[in-house]
Every structure is written in structure tokens, then in C-alpha cells.
Amino acid sequence: AGAGRLPSALQPVAPLPTFEQAVEAYQPRWTHSYSEAPAQRVAVQLLAQRRPAAVYRRVGDVVFRGFAGRGVCLSAFDRLLHKLRTSEVQSLRWLDLGESGLNDRFAPGVIELVRCGVRHLDLSQNSLGGAAMSQIMTTLGRFAPYLETLDLRFNPCADDPAFQRSVALAMPEFKFLQRLGIQVRCGGATQGDRGFGSTQVRDWSAAAAAAPAPAAAPAATAVPAPM
């Protein structure tokens, strides 16, 4: 059947889009709404004005995974940031930039995204060094109190003492963290016996069960996507 037609296994495969092409095609849109309690002073003002003491934030997803070797550059990343700045997205539910060849030059852009707030962050399999990742961790501790999953594995920061300290300092801020993927090397060896390992994602739910349970994280409410 189909004389002269190539077998399906030999059909030409369409090339994968470059990072620049993916950014050009990306249209930020909010898909969920989170209700978050504001700071105490703002809450008092809202109550005095008989307005609900809650802030609803429109959140969306930024997923650009697996673009290593496919045209990832600062100019395209800046265009992505500009699109998000001018969109209705106020915070991020998923930020997945794993396996995209990001190095320290991209850290300021990643920090800008993290400052919006994020619940699920994946920066695994990149080339982020200790200084850059330490800044990201510090920003997460200040601006991502509702972080639930964090994956930083397979980055060259694993043996950097400053990065290790930044992780230790930020952990108490993540009251709702459920899963953590991280590498920590001491003396050239990867530590894996306490739940940290190069191929292991630590499940914090068991540890959290032994500790006093924090208040439930604000739930996401699905809303119709804007047209």
C-alpha cells in the first residue's frame, strides 16, 4: 500500500521549536485564583472599611523545560519577562525551567519571577552556581511562603558552602513544603543517607507529620480562563 511512501518509522520528524520561538508563541494567562491573607496592617484597614480581609491573586504557569542547546539566550529570556510584566498574571503556580542550560547570567531574571511568588519551582539540570543559587534561595525564603515543591538537583552549586547555608536558612520559611529535590556534596561525596541525594526527591510529609501542623495553605480556585 502506498507505493513510494516511506515507512512511518522513516518519516521526517518536525524540528523542535527553539527557546526564542517558544517565547514568541507563549501567551501568559491566569488559570487559577488564590486567596491569600494580607499583612496585618492591610487587614486592619480592610476590616475598618468593611471589605474582605483577603487578597485574590491571579496565578499562571511558566513551563519552559528541556530547551538546553535550543537557543536559550538572555534576549529571549528578557522578552519572556516582559510578557509576564505586562500580563494579568500576578503570581506563579508552576515555574519549570529545568534542563534548559541556564547559568548564573539568568539568575536575576529567575529572581524576578520568584519575587512574584511561586508554589512549584523546578530549576534542575541547569548550570547555576553557588552564588546565583544562594540569591535565589534567599528570595524564595522571603517571597514564596506557600512553596510546595522545590527541585534544584543536578546543578554545580551542590558543593558550595554558601549555597548549603542558604538552603538551611530558607527551610524554616517553607511551612507548606512537601517535596524537595536537592544535592549536597561534602568533601567531594554526595550526601544521600539523610534523604538528600543526586537521584532522590525527599518527601517531607513524613517529617511534617511529627511536627505541629501549620494552617492549611490557601487553596487554588479554578476559574474560567480569560478569552
Short mmCIF file of all heavy atoms in Angstrom, two decimals, residues 194-226:
data_model
loop_
_atom_site.label_atom_id
_atom_site.label_comp_id
_atom_site.label_asym_id
_atom_site.label_seq_id
_atom_site.Cartn_x
_atom_site.Cartn_y
_atom_site.Cartn_z
N ARG A 194 20.56 10.96 54.46
CA ARG A 194 19.54 11.66 55.23
C ARG A 194 18.44 12.20 54.33
O ARG A 194 17.79 13.17 54.64
CB ARG A 194 20.17 12.81 56.02
CG ARG A 194 21.05 12.36 57.16
CD ARG A 194 21.47 13.53 58.03
NE ARG A 194 22.21 13.09 59.20
CZ ARG A 194 23.52 12.96 59.24
NH1 ARG A 194 24.22 13.20 58.15
NH2 ARG A 194 24.12 12.58 60.34
N GLY A 195 18.25 11.56 53.21
CA GLY A 195 17.17 11.98 52.35
C GLY A 195 17.59 12.95 51.27
O GLY A 195 16.78 13.36 50.46
N PHE A 196 18.87 13.34 51.26
CA PHE A 196 19.38 14.20 50.20
C PHE A 196 20.22 13.34 49.28
O PHE A 196 21.11 12.64 49.71
CB PHE A 196 20.27 15.32 50.78
CG PHE A 196 19.53 16.24 51.70
CD1 PHE A 196 19.46 15.97 53.04
CD2 PHE A 196 18.92 17.37 51.21
CE1 PHE A 196 18.79 16.83 53.90
CE2 PHE A 196 18.25 18.23 52.05
CZ PHE A 196 18.18 17.96 53.40
N GLY A 197 19.97 13.43 48.00
CA GLY A 197 20.74 12.62 47.08
C GLY A 197 20.61 13.11 45.66
O GLY A 197 19.70 13.86 45.33
N SER A 198 21.53 12.67 44.82
CA SER A 198 21.54 13.15 43.45
C SER A 198 20.36 12.64 42.65
O SER A 198 20.00 13.22 41.65
CB SER A 198 22.85 12.73 42.77
OG SER A 198 22.96 11.32 42.78
N THR A 199 19.75 11.54 43.07
CA THR A 199 18.64 10.99 42.30
C THR A 199 17.39 10.85 43.15
O THR A 199 16.47 10.14 42.79
CB THR A 199 19.01 9.62 41.72
OG1 THR A 199 19.33 8.72 42.80
CG2 THR A 199 20.19 9.71 40.79
N GLN A 200 17.38 11.51 44.29
CA GLN A 200 16.27 11.33 45.21
C GLN A 200 15.54 12.64 45.45
O GLN A 200 16.15 13.67 45.64
CB GLN A 200 16.78 10.79 46.56
CG GLN A 200 15.65 10.54 47.56
CD GLN A 200 16.18 9.90 48.82
OE1 GLN A 200 17.37 9.69 48.94
NE2 GLN A 200 15.32 9.59 49.75
N VAL A 201 14.21 12.59 45.42
CA VAL A 201 13.40 13.72 45.83
C VAL A 201 12.87 13.41 47.22
O VAL A 201 12.17 12.42 47.40
CB VAL A 201 12.23 13.95 44.86
CG1 VAL A 201 11.37 15.11 45.34
CG2 VAL A 201 12.75 14.23 43.46
N ARG A 202 13.25 14.22 48.16
CA ARG A 202 12.83 13.94 49.54
C ARG A 202 11.36 14.29 49.72
O ARG A 202 10.91 15.35 49.31
CB ARG A 202 13.67 14.74 50.52
CG ARG A 202 13.21 14.46 51.95
CD ARG A 202 14.13 15.07 52.99
NE ARG A 202 13.67 14.72 54.32
CZ ARG A 202 14.26 15.10 55.43
NH1 ARG A 202 15.35 15.82 55.36
NH2 ARG A 202 13.78 14.75 56.60
N ASP A 203 10.64 13.39 50.34
CA ASP A 203 9.24 13.62 50.69
C ASP A 203 9.20 14.12 52.12
O ASP A 203 9.53 13.39 53.04
CB ASP A 203 8.44 12.32 50.54
CG ASP A 203 6.95 12.55 50.68
OD1 ASP A 203 6.57 13.63 51.19
OD2 ASP A 203 6.19 11.67 50.29
N TRP A 204 8.79 15.38 52.31
CA TRP A 204 8.79 15.99 53.63
C TRP A 204 7.53 15.69 54.42
O TRP A 204 7.40 16.12 55.55
CB TRP A 204 8.94 17.51 53.50
CG TRP A 204 10.32 17.90 53.16
CD1 TRP A 204 10.87 17.96 51.92
CD2 TRP A 204 11.36 18.28 54.06
NE1 TRP A 204 12.18 18.36 51.99
CE2 TRP A 204 12.51 18.56 53.29
CE3 TRP A 204 11.43 18.40 55.44
CZ2 TRP A 204 13.70 18.96 53.86
CZ3 TRP A 204 12.62 18.80 56.01
CH2 TRP A 204 13.74 19.07 55.23
N SER A 205 6.58 14.97 53.81
CA SER A 205 5.32 14.75 54.50
C SER A 205 5.51 13.94 55.79
O SER A 205 4.85 14.17 56.79
CB SER A 205 4.33 14.04 53.59
OG SER A 205 4.87 12.82 53.11
N ALA A 206 6.46 12.99 55.78
CA ALA A 206 6.69 12.17 56.98
C ALA A 206 7.27 13.02 58.10
O ALA A 206 6.88 12.92 59.26
CB ALA A 206 7.63 11.01 56.64
N ALA A 207 8.23 13.89 57.75
CA ALA A 207 8.81 14.77 58.76
C ALA A 207 7.78 15.76 59.28
O ALA A 207 7.75 16.09 60.46
CB ALA A 207 10.01 15.51 58.18
N ALA A 208 6.93 16.23 58.38
CA ALA A 208 5.92 17.20 58.78
C ALA A 208 4.89 16.58 59.70
O ALA A 208 4.30 17.26 60.55
CB ALA A 208 5.23 17.79 57.55
N ALA A 209 4.67 15.27 59.57
CA ALA A 209 3.66 14.62 60.39
C ALA A 209 4.05 14.64 61.86
O ALA A 209 3.19 14.66 62.75
CB ALA A 209 3.46 13.17 59.93
N ALA A 210 5.36 14.63 62.14
CA ALA A 210 5.83 14.63 63.53
C ALA A 210 5.84 16.02 64.14
O ALA A 210 5.93 16.17 65.34
CB ALA A 210 7.23 14.02 63.60
N ALA A 211 5.75 17.04 63.28
CA ALA A 211 5.78 18.42 63.76
C ALA A 211 4.36 18.96 63.83
O ALA A 211 3.45 18.44 63.21
CB ALA A 211 6.63 19.28 62.83
N PRO A 212 4.16 20.04 64.61
CA PRO A 212 2.83 20.66 64.65
C PRO A 212 2.42 21.10 63.26
O PRO A 212 3.19 21.72 62.55
CB PRO A 212 3.04 21.86 65.59
CG PRO A 212 4.24 21.51 66.41
CD PRO A 212 5.12 20.68 65.51
N ALA A 213 1.23 20.76 62.87
CA ALA A 213 0.76 21.06 61.51
C ALA A 213 0.46 22.53 61.38
O ALA A 213 -0.23 23.12 62.22
CB ALA A 213 -0.49 20.24 61.20
N PRO A 214 1.00 23.20 60.33
CA PRO A 214 0.68 24.60 60.12
C PRO A 214 -0.73 24.73 59.57
O PRO A 214 -1.36 23.76 59.18
CB PRO A 214 1.72 25.04 59.07
CG PRO A 214 2.01 23.78 58.32
CD PRO A 214 1.89 22.65 59.33
N ALA A 215 -1.20 25.96 59.52
CA ALA A 215 -2.51 26.20 58.92
C ALA A 215 -2.48 25.78 57.46
O ALA A 215 -1.44 25.82 56.80
CB ALA A 215 -2.86 27.68 59.04
N ALA A 216 -3.60 25.36 56.97
CA ALA A 216 -3.66 24.87 55.60
C ALA A 216 -3.28 25.97 54.63
O ALA A 216 -3.62 27.13 54.80
CB ALA A 216 -5.07 24.36 55.30
N ALA A 217 -2.56 25.60 53.60
CA ALA A 217 -2.19 26.56 52.57
C ALA A 217 -3.43 27.00 51.83
O ALA A 217 -4.36 26.24 51.65
CB ALA A 217 -1.20 25.91 51.58
N PRO A 218 -3.45 28.26 51.40
CA PRO A 218 -4.61 28.74 50.65
C PRO A 218 -4.85 27.88 49.42
O PRO A 218 -3.92 27.58 48.68
CB PRO A 218 -4.20 30.17 50.27
CG PRO A 218 -3.19 30.56 51.29
CD PRO A 218 -2.46 29.29 51.63
N ALA A 219 -6.05 27.47 49.23
CA ALA A 219 -6.37 26.58 48.12
C ALA A 219 -6.55 27.37 46.84
O ALA A 219 -6.95 28.53 46.84
CB ALA A 219 -7.65 25.80 48.43
N ALA A 220 -6.24 26.70 45.75
CA ALA A 220 -6.44 27.30 44.44
C ALA A 220 -7.88 27.10 44.00
O ALA A 220 -8.45 26.05 44.20
CB ALA A 220 -5.50 26.68 43.41
N THR A 221 -8.44 28.13 43.41
CA THR A 221 -9.77 28.04 42.87
C THR A 221 -9.70 28.14 41.37
O THR A 221 -9.20 29.15 40.84
CB THR A 221 -10.65 29.19 43.42
OG1 THR A 221 -10.66 29.10 44.84
CG2 THR A 221 -12.06 29.08 42.88
N ALA A 222 -10.15 27.11 40.69
CA ALA A 222 -10.12 27.15 39.24
C ALA A 222 -11.13 28.17 38.76
O ALA A 222 -12.24 28.26 39.26
CB ALA A 222 -10.46 25.77 38.67
N VAL A 223 -10.71 28.94 37.79
CA VAL A 223 -11.59 29.96 37.23
C VAL A 223 -11.57 29.83 35.73
O VAL A 223 -10.61 29.31 35.14
CB VAL A 223 -11.13 31.37 37.64
CG1 VAL A 223 -11.25 31.58 39.12
CG2 VAL A 223 -9.71 31.62 37.18
N PRO A 224 -12.59 30.29 35.04
CA PRO A 224 -12.56 30.25 33.57
C PRO A 224 -11.41 31.09 33.07
O PRO A 224 -11.18 32.21 33.52
CB PRO A 224 -13.92 30.87 33.18
CG PRO A 224 -14.77 30.73 34.40
CD PRO A 224 -13.84 30.82 35.56
N ALA A 225 -10.63 30.52 32.17
CA ALA A 225 -9.50 31.27 31.61
C ALA A 225 -10.03 32.43 30.80
O ALA A 225 -11.02 32.33 30.09
CB ALA A 225 -8.68 30.35 30.69
N PRO A 226 -9.39 33.61 30.95
CA PRO A 226 -9.84 34.77 30.20
C PRO A 226 -9.69 34.54 28.71
O PRO A 226 -8.74 33.94 28.25
CB PRO A 226 -8.92 35.90 30.70
CG PRO A 226 -7.73 35.20 31.24
CD PRO A 226 -8.21 33.88 31.77
#
